[in-house]
Structure formats: C-alpha cells, structure tokens
Amino acid sequence: LDYFLIYGPSLKHILYRYTELTGRAPVPPKWSFGFWISRCGYKTRQEVEEVVREMRARGFPCDVLSLDPWWMGDGPWCTYEWDEERFPRPAEMMAELRRQGIRTCLWITPYIPAGTPLYEEGKARGYFIRRPDGSISPVLEAFAGRDLAAVDFTNPKAVEWFLSHLRRLLDMGAAVFKTDFGEQAPADALYHDGRSGLEMHNLYPLLYNRAVFELTRQYFGRGLTWGRSAYAGSQRYPVQWGGDSYSSLDQMSTQLLGLLSYGMSGVPFCSHDVGGFDYPPEAFDHPRQEDYPRDPVVYARWLQFGVFSSHVRAHGKQPREPWQYGPEVEAIAHRYLSLRYRLLPYICSEAVRSAQAGLPMVRPLVLEYQDDRSTWNIDHEYLFGESFLVAPVTSRDGRLSVYLPAGTWFDYWTKTPVEGGRWMDIQAPLDILPLWVRAGSIIPMGPEMDYVDQKPCDPLTLELYGPADEGEYVIFDEERPAIAVRYQRRHHQLLVQVGPAPGEVIVVLYGAAVRQASVNGRPAALEPLAQGTQVRFDGRQEAQLLLELA
C-alpha cells in the first residue's frame, strides 16, 4: 500500500500536484464543446433524420447526435454491428449528418453477449475475463443482457481485437463512442496479466476508456470518449458524464454536487444528462411511464446548468429535444444554446487553462476563495472557468440565496455592478439563470452558428467588465494561432491591445463611461449600448484601441 502526501496549502496547488502524479487531461476536440442531442433511444434512421431536420429548421445549434444501443437492433448487446433494417446504409446516413454539421456518437459496452459469433470468437481466443478455473467470469448487467463476457483489457491481443471492431465503425463515419458501463468487472476473476478481480475492479473502466480514447486519438489526432465509469487518472481520457438520474430538480441538484466533487478530484471535463435520464419519480406510479407528462421546468433549469458545464448533452428516456417542452421552453433553450455557441472562444480557452493546471472548468467557490470561510460549505453555485459565477436554480418557485465573494461582480443580464462579500436573495424567472462576471474579466465571444467552426470567428467580440489597472487574456482556438488581449488603465485612459484576429473585432466596455476612442491613432466611432459602449475595427492586424474615459 503506497501513500502520497500532497501538501498545498492551496487547494489549487494540491490539484496541480495530484494531476502531475496521475496525469493531466488533454483538451478534447473543439466540436465536443457544442451541443449533443440524444435519447434512450433513437431506433430508426428515419427518426434520426427527422430529429436533425427539425433541429436545423428550428434554428438550434447542434454538433453531435448520440445513438444508444438500438443502432445494433434489440438486445442483448454489444455486437458492434449495425442493424441495417432499422438503419439502412449507415455510412450514407452518417455522411449526410456530417454534411449538416453533426457528428455521430455510438453507444458501446465492453461486454459481449453469449450466443453471438463475436462471443464464440472471443471465447476461443481467450479474450474474456476468466475465473481461476478457466471458465468465463460472467458480468451481472441486466440492461445489456443476462449472459455476458467482459473483454480482458490486460491482454494486448484482446484490446486490439476489440478495437478492430470499433475501427471499422470509425471508417464508416462514426466520430466518437459512448463508452457505457465498465463498473461491473467481476470480482472473482483472474486477469490475463495475473491480477485478481479485486485488484482490477476499479482499474477496469480506466483501461476500457483508455483503449477507446487512444483509438480516437490515433484516428483523428485528438481523443475523446463519452464515458460513465472512472477511476483515479481517468481525467486522461475525457469526457465522463454523471450517469443515470431521475428527471427532477433534486436530482439535478445531486448532479451538480457530483460535478463539483468530481472536479475536485482532478477532472476538468465532465457532464450530465440535461433533463435527467429516467422518468420523473412520480411517473413510477403511473400505469404507463412513457405517457407521463414531460416537465418543462426541469428541462429549462437543467439546460441552463448544462450550458455552463464543460460539455452539454440532452439525454433521457423521454424525448429531450427542446421543442418537446412547449414554446416558452423552446425559446429559453434557443437563447441559452445560442449563448453557449457565442461563448465558445471563452469555453475553449478555459478548457486549455484547466487542462494545463489540473483545474475543473466547473469549480467550487472554495477552490478560488479558500480563505473565505463562507465558501467552505457552498455546494449549489460555482465558477465556470475563471470569470463566470453560476447559480443554477433547483427550486420550482425560482427562489435561491447566492453568495458573491469579495470584489465587484457584474450581473450578466443587466450589466449592473454588485459588490460582493455578501449573500443575496434572488427571485429568478424561468428564463433567467443567475449569472455574474467577475470585474476585470475579458470575455471573448464569437458569432452565432449552427455548429462549431461553421464560420470564422468574425466578428470577435471582447467584453470587458469594469477593467482596473491591467489584465490580459489569451484566446486559444485548437490549431489556430492564439489571440492575445491586454488592457492597461491609467487614470482616465484605457489602452486595449488585440492580436491579429480572423476579421472584425468589437470591444465592449461595461462599468465605465467613454468620451472618445481611437484605433492605432485614428478616431473610432463609439456605439452606445445599454450599460456600456462598443467600438468596432478591422482586427486582421494587431490593433491598439485607446479609450478616453469620462
């Protein structure tokens, strides 16, 4: 038994050293930060194409459609073979989705059902987990089937055999795999490398997700999974999500608790099922659960929370497409998903910083304000990256108490500055997620789009909130050149320097009045906004914006 003592005293430093030991998370592909739509589950090609057609017709941005196991037909699963009666010409289908800006995610497990040719092949080659007497150690997982064998990921030949079936699916057009399960590794087993089932039980999902992640990394250049089970070090193989939850506000609250706790375990990238996976708890007293009414309040509040998580996927037994919840919730969903896509320059930049430092994108307040005792027990609000403070609403009446740490914060919706170091009682209507921006922040935003990289980041909008003294922000955009933004405030002048951008740059200043502006020494027009002022200029070359403050 080995012990590691990691002394901070800063919690941030502890996470940095812990991930130095167990591994840092790579930054997932940029498109993974878009919206994922899913359901348990889409069962025909026609259904998939209707959902995508409706998504685009209603103007919703979306990057990934996830198919649960029915892409293989009815269970038991997993065979890694398309049911081409329900999904005829799957390569053609995925290519057509891709032309519309949508990638395909396929559900898999590492369990192979008895009675299939794949099972007989794996059994004959010794690729499954076995008992000490040589018999196959069965997996207890009723959802996928009742007679299952688990791939032995300590056997390199078994791993390559397993991945050969996934590689064929990638060749057909799949982009990512939902690596479900992995937590049922039998405890009575003896693995290929000699370790016992008890020794391997927690390691099994790590090895499972590592194999799939590395395959996608080799195939695409950047790796990705959508996994459920994990262990220390699983941050190296993002992304994981919070597993099955009921569709209720209290279950949304517990998913937030899990997200905060998981992030404090060195994991920057994780998610949850927007709307909840299962039916509302009350549905289990209903004679037909599938007919139980969908809850628009739960969906709207959960989607707001999801938009301000590292990754956002709507998924559940009931339909999770936004228009399924009525016109009001559809409008709310459109507003927040559009905002998510506009915030991609910020989200992708914070992803890089989080990966480098071993910090979660969803951060408990105590991680940033460790010396403020008021933050020690706060578990219902969080920081999204360095600048946003988010307080998801988990009550039906929209009431909640929010703590703002010391300093100045700007209400994101009204741009009103508020002094922190105090609690606030909030009444949030259904369309409002309580949201603040830390003073001094630079928030980069792009244009609205239907899918990630549909168009260049033109215009690039830079929102500055109450800048004082100096600040800087580097915008990271996958393989494209980084854009450095700096400001210096001296008395009644604010100098903003912006590195070369793809096109037009719009600088928006909140928290200070502006008398006049110049760009590279030439006068620039001021455009007044509610609570702010903006200036536009050609940003294709490095620019210096000088603002004369009132």
Side-chain angles (χ1 to χ4, degrees):
L1 178 63
D2 295 325
Y3 283 95
F4 295 86
L5 176 62
I6 302 174
Y7 176 69
S10 159
L11 295 176
K12 281 185 173 182
H13 187 64
I14 291 172
L15 283 180
Y16 183 83
R17 296 305 304 274
Y18 169 75
T19 54
E20 194 173 56
L21 178 69
T22 60
R24 298 260 158 75
V27 179
K30 182 180 177 182
W31 55 262
S32 74
F33 294 98
F35 181 48
W36 298 47
I37 189 65
S38 181
R39 196 193 293 179
C40 185
Y42 302 122
K43 296 181 180 180
T44 65
R45 174 174 174 172
Q46 181 183 3
E47 190 175 20
V48 165
E49 291 175 338
E50 286 177 356
V51 165
V52 172
R53 190 161 44 245
E54 195 74 14
M55 186 78 68
R56 292 297 184 233
R58 292 174 181 264
F60 281 100
C62 184
D63 268 86
V64 185
L65 184 135
S66 187
L67 288 171
D68 263 20
W70 289 274
W71 67 270
M72 295 174 281
D74 293 326
W77 304 291
C78 194
T79 62
Y80 315 111
E81 295 283 351
W82 282 92
D83 178 347
E84 296 206 29
E85 289 189 12
R86 296 182 181 183
F87 292 89
R89 303 179 302 283
E92 176 190 88
M93 179 192 76
M94 290 188 284
E96 179 57 32
L97 294 181
R98 187 71 188 87
R99 280 191 288 271
Q100 298 176 71
I102 292 180
R103 290 171 166 85
T104 304
C105 173
L106 298 179
W107 180 101
I108 61 169
T109 78
Y111 311 143
I112 313 298
T116 62
L118 205 60
Y119 181 94
E120 296 303 324
E121 181 182 341
K123 179 180 178 182
R125 296 184 180 184
Y127 290 164
F128 297 141
I129 298 170
R130 295 177 178 271
R131 294 189 176 108
D133 65 6
S135 62
I136 290 177
S137 185
V139 174
L140 300 178
E141 176 43 63
F143 175 77
R146 297 189 179 276
D147 193 357
L148 304 169
V151 176
D152 187 341
F153 288 100
T154 71
N155 182 343
K157 291 183 179 179
V159 173
E160 181 52 39
W161 174 75
F162 168 74
L163 294 181
S164 69
H165 296 284
L166 303 189
R167 192 175 290 110
R168 183 170 46 82
L169 295 167
L170 295 177
D171 289 340
M172 294 176 71
V176 60
F177 296 102
K178 176 181 174 180
T179 47
D180 209 351
F181 297 107
E183 62 269 25
Q184 296 88 352
D188 65 350
L190 181 65
Y191 282 73
H192 175 79
D193 70 354
R195 281 183 284 187
S196 71
L198 285 176
E199 288 176 291
M200 283 298 302
H201 181 78
N202 288 345
L203 278 171
Y204 186 85
L206 184 143
L207 299 182
Y208 162 41
N209 281 279
R210 181 179 72 180
V212 179
F213 178 90
E214 290 297 340
L215 173 66
T216 58
R217 185 183 63 81
Q218 293 163 12
Y219 200 95
F220 297 113
R222 287 179 182 262
L224 180 67
T225 65
W226 191 273
R228 187 170 81 177
S229 299
Y231 185 55
S234 284
Q235 66 270 10
R236 290 175 288 172
Y237 315 116
V239 172
Q240 290 87 40
W241 96 99
D244 300 350
S245 55
Y246 295 106
S247 181
S248 65
L249 290 171
D250 66 326
Q251 288 277 287
M252 172 184 148
S253 179
T254 62
Q255 289 287 297
L256 172 56
L257 291 171
L259 206 62
L260 294 173
S261 185
Y262 198 43
M264 288 290 274
S265 302
V267 183
F269 308 114
C270 43
S271 190
H272 43 90
D273 288 341
V274 165
F277 168 75
D278 218 325
Y279 299 101
E282 299 81 9
F284 292 91
D285 294 326
H286 195 271
R288 284 176 53 86
Q289 295 168 5
E290 59 271 24
D291 294 334
Y292 194 80
R294 299 161 202 149
D295 193 323
V297 174
V298 170
Y299 186 85
R301 293 306 192 189
W302 210 318
L303 182 68
Q304 292 165 353
F305 166 37
V307 161
F308 285 88
S309 302
S310 87
H311 288 75
V312 53
R313 181 186 74 155
H315 176 66
K317 290 182 177 178
Q318 293 178 306
R320 292 290 182 251
E321 299 81 31
W323 56 88
Q324 301 276 2
Y325 293 83
E328 180 185 13
V329 171
E330 180 179 352
I332 292 170
H334 193 280
R335 177 189 187 190
Y336 280 88
L337 288 172
S338 297
L339 175 60
R340 167 85 180 190
Y341 276 68
R342 289 209 64 203
L343 283 172
L344 281 172
Y346 172 82
I347 292 169
C348 293
S349 301
E350 290 301 305
V352 172
R353 290 180 178 81
S354 294
Q356 291 172 343
L359 296 175
M361 288 188 68
V362 170
R363 302 176 188 174
L365 297 190
V366 68
L367 190 57
E368 195 73 31
Y369 298 96
Q370 186 172 336
D371 295 332
D372 182 347
R373 293 181 64 92
S374 296
T375 68
W376 290 7
N377 295 307
I378 292 177
D379 56 14
H380 63 284
E381 58 185 271
Y382 60 89
L383 295 169
F384 184 55
E386 296 180 348
S387 298
F388 282 100
L389 189 150
V390 187
V393 179
T394 58
S395 62
R396 286 203 174 268
D397 61 9
R399 293 181 179 274
L400 70 162
S401 292
V402 177
Y403 181 75
L404 295 182
T408 303
W409 297 84
F410 283 77
D411 183 305
Y412 181 75
W413 306 112
T414 66
K415 311 304 181 186
T416 304
V418 180
E419 287 305 310
R422 63 191 180 99
W423 287 88
M424 300 172 59
D425 290 328
I426 305 294
Q427 175 69 58
L430 187 61
D431 64 334
I432 293 296
L433 167 70
L435 188 64
W436 291 265
V437 179
R438 184 167 18 195
S441 295
I442 301 170
I443 305 294
M445 303 178 72
E448 291 189 6
M449 55 186 76
D450 296 328
Y451 53 89
V452 170
D453 280 344
Q454 180 189 23
K455 59 186 80 167
C457 190
D458 180 12
L460 169 63
T461 302
L462 302 169
E463 295 189 341
L464 278 60
Y465 288 83
D469 299 328
E470 58 187 32
E472 66 176 310
Y473 197 86
V474 179
I475 303 168
F476 296 104
D477 189 4
E478 210 158 68
E479 307 304 328
R480 296 173 181 81
I483 302 172
V485 183
R486 298 179 179 86
Y487 69 76
Q488 289 182 320
R489 183 169 181 172
R490 298 291 183 265
H491 303 298
H492 296 293
Q493 288 187 331
L494 179 67
L495 177 64
V496 183
Q497 297 173 289
V498 184
E504 184 181 41
V505 171
I506 304 173
V507 173
V508 186
L509 177 63
Y510 296 111
V514 182
R515 291 191 297 107
Q516 61 183 23
S518 63
V519 177
N520 295 334
R522 298 180 179 180
L526 297 176
E527 300 178 32
L529 302 173
Q531 304 295 325
T533 306
Q534 72 178 23
V535 179
R536 300 171 182 263
F537 55 89
D538 185 340
R540 288 175 292 179
Q541 295 183 347
E542 186 170 349
Q544 292 194 357
L545 168 66
L546 182 62
L547 299 175
E548 300 285 347
L549 306 180

